[in-house]
Amino acid sequence: MASRCAELNLPHQRAQALELTGNVAPNEPAPREREVSGLLPAGKSNRAVAAELAISERTVEKHVEAILAKLGFSSRSELAARRGRAGASTSSP
């Protein structure tokens, strides 16, 4: 859980409270959106993400749109770069 919080730049306690209650703040990705966003930096297409999560390609498209809007990014590559930096800063040497 701490690594997911670090990826989203959320304080651990707040993320834990949101997860336990099932509530998500308006500008924070929902659990399924976080799941989708975790697959994007791997360079997976919407079709590949849809197949892996057993959802429609159109649903993935909508999740990606929501993720980008909530996080203030304009492209998938911008999201991937941000997630890559977050992962690098939290990994141990």
Side-chain angles (χ1 to χ4, degrees):
M1 160 106 86
S3 64
R4 278 194 358 216
C5 296
E7 288 173 342
L8 296 172
N9 295 323
L10 295 175
H12 177 71
Q13 294 82 1
R14 181 165 183 221
Q16 186 175 29
L18 290 171
E19 187 170 306
L20 291 175
T21 62
N23 295 326
V24 177
N27 291 337
E28 294 177 8
R32 188 58 142 187
E33 291 168 349
R34 288 194 303 263
E35 195 172 4
V36 168
S37 72
L39 298 173
L40 298 179
K44 294 187 179 198
S45 66
N46 288 348
R47 181 173 289 176
V49 172
E52 186 165 330
L53 299 177
I55 59 178
S56 77
E57 191 172 347
R58 183 71 178 137
T59 299
V60 173
E61 290 172 13
K62 287 299 186 181
H63 283 316
V64 171
E65 289 174 15
I67 293 162
L68 296 176
K70 287 178 180 181
L71 299 178
F73 296 129
S74 59
S75 69
R76 291 166 76 121
S77 58
E78 194 176 353
L79 173 65
R82 172 65 184 244
R83 286 183 63 90
R85 283 195 304 270
S89 66
T90 59
S91 61
S92 54

